[in-house]
Amino acid sequence: MSRHVLVTGGASGIGLALARRFAQAGDRVILADLNDTAGETMAAELGGSYRHLDVTEEASVEAVVAAIEDGVGPIDVLINSAGLLQNAAQTENFPLEEHDRIWAVNYRGSYLMCRACAPRMAARGAGAILNIASINSFTPLPLPAYTPTKAAIGSLTGVLAGEFGPKGVRINAVAPGFTLTPAMQSRIDSGDRDPAGMEGLSTLGRLVKPEEVAAAGFFLCSDAASAITGVNLPVDCGYMAAISYNTYPS
Ligand code: NAI
């Protein structure tokens, strides 16, 4: 059955790959993003629709969710992929404004979207939500805003799974490793990230592809995962395994 799938951050990267995966399965995708030009273009390519959305603004979130629910149909699946990456920084030199903006988009944005959609799904007794966490959910990296937001998203996923599970709503997360998206590519191009260094940290020796994150996320939102809720699934080319395995003191 064709589902309505709302994808925040759907104009680019992991969100776009997820939207493409659902569209391939015959679902009706609604991309929502700040980037209207890319969002409109990609929605047209996927045979879906586009909404302007700022996930940090409660009014914007409520307006978009209400307009879809009232005018298009029930949101069966919500994907929270709007997010900001961060370059390595030390706390004392890291601008508080940037810290707060990363929290606003990554955590508050995911929270506001879940807050708007989960009760509506619960009222219908069905729905699936996918949050995009990170390997940062599990391990401290030198990203003093980004890392805690992703730990918090992992925690939020479990909290909401507990709250909404009895009402038929499943809420899971994926935890991508270093993934070659436009956001990552621009950091490689500017010299802020070293692709060989990132590749060498995973046991498979390469970066994750956005479509690999999409495949896992699609599974978690499908009936094939009907008994799975509250998990944060690494899709990391074995980064988590390698960082432990390779630090064994001989
Ligand atoms: P991206 O920059 O390619 O895509 C992010 C999208 O979010 C963009 O289209 C952007 O316009 C949109 N966006 C930003 N702020 C927004 C706002 N306030 N409201 C609505 N839309 C907004 O980035 P990428 O790499 O695809 O990241 C997507 C998610 O995946 C993020 O949550 C990121 O933290 C997460 N992630 C990415 C990894 C990577 O290595 N690229 C690894 C682990 C997690």
Side-chain angles (χ1 to χ4, degrees), residues 8-26:
T8 77
S12 178
I14 289 171
L16 176 58
L18 274 152
R20 184 170 279 125
R21 180 67 190 83
F22 281 92
Q24 282 164 356

Side-chain angles (χ1 to χ4, degrees), residues 9 12-14 33 53-55 81-82 132-133 146 150 176-177 179 181 183-184:
S12 178
I14 289 171
D33 207 291
L53 169 70
D54 183 345
V55 294
S81 192
I132 312 299
Y146 186 84
K150 294 300 179 174
T179 306
T181 64
M184 181 60 83

Side-chain angles (χ1 to χ4, degrees), residues 8-16 32-36 38 52-57 60 80-86 101 104-106 109-110 132-136 146 149-150 153 174-185 187 193 198 208 210 213:
T8 77
S12 178
I14 289 171
L16 176 58
D33 207 291
L34 280 180
N35 185 341
D36 297 336
H52 179 84
L53 169 70
D54 183 345
V55 294
T56 68
E57 297 291 337
S60 176
N80 285 316
S81 192
L84 299 178
L85 302 187
Q86 191 201 327
R101 180 69 190 157
V105 178
N106 293 8
S110 300
I132 312 299
S134 165
I135 49 174
N136 283 264
Y146 186 84
T149 66
K150 294 300 179 174
I153 288 169
V174 284
F178 302 114
T179 306
L180 195 54
T181 64
M184 181 60 83
Q185 186 65 56
R187 282 171 166 74
R193 305 306 295 268
M198 292 187 287
V208 179
V213 180

